[in-house]
Structure formats: structure tokens, C-alpha cells
Amino acid sequence: MVMVFYGSNGKSNAVSMENKVEHQTENQITYDIYLPSDLGMLYKVRLGLQSLENSISQLSLRHLKMQNTSTLDTFRLTINKTLPLSPNGDRWIEFPIQWPLTEALSVVTYHLTVFSRNILNERNFVHMTACIYGTHGDTGDRSLLQSLQDVQHGEKNESFLVIVDAVDLGELEKIVLLISSNTDCKLDIKKLHVQEAAKEHPIYVFEVNEEFSVNANKPEIQREIPRSFVIRGEKQKNGIDNNLNKEDRQVKNLTEYTIKVYTGDKRGAGTDANVHIILFGNEDKSEVFQLSQPLEHQNPFERGKVDTFKIKAKKLGSLRSIEIGHDGKGF
């Protein structure tokens, strides 16, 4: 079992409960957890199973109590759920932290619809997860191929529904896909739609339009998909949400740039710092982009390596110059 804590100052890494047992009775286990940094005021916790390959395939949870040993702030919750939530289904649950005199976020059921060409034929050979990011945090990596619903087959296209329960994410901003396989696979993904199950609108649209080739030389692919546009309800279309519609129109008119960074082959040429880039054109300049997730591997800017990044920016005209730099952190 692992837990992830979200606070006003950021989120923790996944904290494993293994070797953290302080006290155990028949129906209750107490853990001592030390977080490496101050997360500020906690607003949600994710709890789940790191792996289903262990001898224990299910975990029944009844109650949860958390206490900050310094401030004695205490939080209690009745869960009464068993992980995974369904056969071969989601192995994570999220819950909000309720503070006195403060309105807590609610738990929302999201419908994520995947539109593709051939994923259903390959689903027994590939593992695919999605992490949905919003203004209130993220869902963590959730499996897309374990428990499919509302599967639709067409002559050239297919779609299927994945249900994700998470604390309210706010305005959705991006989705990070992680695709892996032990054998050669090609997945043709068209787009992703995300909406709250209880609402017809808004529908967040993430255009992908890419064929992913996974093989022994590239067993894992990670891709960040920014929000393309939002389909909103009739009242919003008629002018109540003009500012957001304007923003979405701007997002829809993005240009994709491929950036290759060649790190020198001299001693000390690489960096562990956070690298950024800004593009300048004859019509405009881009926002600041963090170059953190290359297409080839997970550790960019190593000596003698080439890293490829894809970013989507507003139309800049003819490119004239770039600014590239880093924050000086790390080695």
C-alpha cells in the first residue's frame, strides 16, 4: 500500500507503507510517515496498491485516521472500500482533507473516452496509463486498459470509456500518457475526451493523432498531451463564458514544434538542472517551456546524448531566435 499527499506547497512522492508499521492489532495498523518537505495545508490524499503481483490481491479498507504529530491536527474518514475497486479495475482511491471553517473539494467521477484505431486488438500485449492534470492537482497514473466500458467498434475507428474517481481537479490542463509493452506493438491514438460523469459539459478535448511504436529498443513511451479545446454548454456558448472560449480558441490554434537538444561530449557537459526554452518569432514569442520529458528516455541532458521534445505554442511566425537556460539546480 502506498499514499500520496497533496498540499498547498506541492505533493509528496508515493510513500510506501512497507517497513513503516509502528503498531498492529487484528483490525488496525498504525504507520509513522515522515515527509521530506513541508507540503503546506493538505487538501487531498491518494491511497492505493503499488502492485497487484503480490500474494495479497485485495485490500479492504474501513477507516482512516491521520494526525500531524507536531500540530496534533487530526483527520478521520470512513472508507469501506476494497482495492482494486472492481475486478482488474482501478487500484487507487482519493479523498479530500476537511479543515474547520474551510470548504473541502469534492470527489468527482470522470469519464475518459479514448478514440483510437487498434488499441482494443493490442490491449492484451500493452500497458497504458493516463495521468490527468488540472488546476487542483492530478490523478496519478491510472490504468486505461484494465476495466473498459462502453466499447464501440467502427470500420476505421474505435472508442472505449474509462472511469476515474478523483478529488475535483478544477480546470483540466493536460494528460500524460505512459505506454509500455514487452513485445512489438503499434498504437494509433486519435484523441481523448474527459468530462464529469454527472455533467454533459464541459468536455475537455485532447488531440493526439499519433501512432506509438513500442518495441524492445523503446519499451516505454511517455507523451504529454496539452488540452486542445473545450466543448461547453449552450449558455456558455451564448456568451456567459466568453473569456474561457477565447482562451480555448487560442489553445486550438497552436503550432507544434519539435526541439532536439544535443548535449556536448565533454566532461561535465550534462546537467541535472531544470532546463527551459523560449521561442522568438517575427510575430510573437512563446511562453517559457520546461524541457523535462524527452521522447527517447526519462533522464535528459546527459553527456553526449540527443533529447527530442515536442511543444505546442501559439503561432509565432518565422522563428528568429531562442532563449535556452537552466535554474542551476543539481549537478
Side-chain angles (χ1 to χ4, degrees):
M1 186 174 71
V2 296
M3 299 180 76
V4 182
F5 299 84
Y6 289 75
S8 55
N9 295 337
K11 73 173 184 176
S12 72
N13 293 325
V15 180
S16 173
M17 300 294 102
E18 188 178 10
N19 300 325
K20 290 184 171 61
V21 177
E22 178 66 20
H23 178 70
Q24 184 169 352
T25 62
E26 183 179 357
N27 296 314
Q28 177 177 307
I29 305 177
T30 301
Y31 301 95
D32 274 356
I33 299 172
Y34 299 91
L35 298 179
S37 61
D38 182 10
L39 299 177
M41 181 176 284
L42 296 181
Y43 68 88
K44 83 168 180 176
V45 176
R46 182 185 311 124
L47 187 153
L49 299 176
Q50 187 70 30
S51 172
L52 295 181
E53 298 173 358
N54 302 329
S55 57
I56 300 175
S57 59
Q58 287 188 326
L59 178 65
S60 295
L61 303 165
R62 296 292 173 254
H63 304 281
L64 178 75
K65 173 185 174 182
M66 297 194 311
Q67 184 177 63
N68 185 320
T69 56
S70 298
T71 64
L72 300 185
D73 289 327
T74 305
F75 171 77
R76 292 178 176 85
L77 178 77
T78 298
I79 300 177
N80 288 330
K81 291 184 178 180
T82 298
L83 293 176
L85 297 177
S86 61
N88 298 319
D90 199 353
R91 52 193 174 91
W92 295 95
I93 57 174
E94 292 192 357
F95 43 87
I97 301 295
Q98 176 68 61
W99 293 93
L101 305 179
T102 304
E103 184 178 358
L105 297 172
S106 59
V107 176
V108 175
T109 298
Y110 290 95
H111 282 181
L112 189 159
T113 306
V114 181
F115 297 86
S116 62
R117 285 188 183 274
N118 66 334
I119 288 182
L120 296 176
N121 292 332
E122 302 285 355
R123 62 179 170 177
N124 293 326
F125 309 103
V126 70
H127 180 64
M128 186 164 68
T129 65
C131 182
I132 308 171
Y133 288 79
T135 52
H136 296 159
D138 61 80
T139 62
D141 291 336
R142 305 294 186 96
S143 174
L144 296 186
L145 300 178
Q146 284 187 335
S147 181
L148 310 184
Q149 302 187 34
D150 194 23
V151 176
Q152 304 288 332
H153 287 276
E155 184 176 345
K156 294 184 178 181
N157 295 295
E158 62 189 21
S159 67
F160 57 88
L161 175 67
V162 180
I163 297 177
V164 176
D165 288 331
V167 171
D168 188 359
L169 297 169
E171 283 282 314
L172 304 188
E173 297 175 334
K174 66 179 180 180
I175 295 178
V176 174
L177 292 177
L178 188 64
I179 304 168
S180 60
S181 176
N182 294 325
T183 184
D184 291 355
C185 289
K186 287 188 177 181
L187 303 181
D188 192 345
I189 304 176
K190 298 304 177 186
K191 60 183 177 179
L192 310 170
H193 283 188
V194 184
Q195 66 189 106
E196 293 185 26
K199 300 178 181 178
E200 292 186 7
H201 296 94
I203 301 173
Y204 295 85
V205 180
F206 301 82
E207 298 281 0
V208 183
N209 294 319
E210 185 171 350
E211 185 178 74
F212 301 91
S213 297
V214 188
N215 51 52
N217 296 322
K218 188 185 286 188
E220 186 175 90
I221 295 176
Q222 181 171 305
R223 191 73 83 250
E224 182 176 304
I225 314 296
R227 186 184 75 194
S228 300
F229 57 95
V230 182
I231 302 173
R232 302 191 182 273
E234 288 299 323
K235 289 184 179 179
Q236 293 171 326
K237 289 179 182 178
N238 291 334
I240 292 179
D241 207 6
N242 283 334
N243 290 333
L244 285 172
N245 278 332
K246 180 180 179 181
E247 173 195 343
D248 294 327
R249 286 194 297 270
Q250 291 173 344
V251 172
K252 193 174 181 179
N253 294 324
L254 295 178
T255 299
E256 184 175 77
Y257 294 92
T258 300
I259 299 170
K260 285 186 177 290
V261 181
Y262 297 77
T263 303
D265 196 17
K266 295 183 179 181
R267 184 178 181 183
T271 184
D272 293 329
N274 299 306
V275 178
H276 74 268
I277 193 170
I278 305 175
L279 311 182
F280 295 85
N282 63 345
E283 297 179 8
D284 205 344
K285 74 173 184 177
S286 75
E287 60 184 291
V288 179
F289 289 98
Q290 299 297 324
L291 301 181
S292 57
Q293 296 178 330
L295 305 186
E296 295 89 353
H297 43 76
Q298 299 300 309
N299 191 16
F301 312 116
E302 293 295 296
R303 172 180 171 180
K305 300 294 184 180
V306 181
D307 299 295
T308 307
F309 303 87
K310 285 191 176 183
I311 64 173
K312 290 185 178 181
K314 55 189 175 182
K315 294 183 179 179
L316 309 174
S318 299
L319 293 184
R320 297 295 175 85
S321 63
I322 67 169
E323 174 190 309
I324 188 166
H326 63 72
D327 60 4
K329 291 184 179 180
F331 176 71

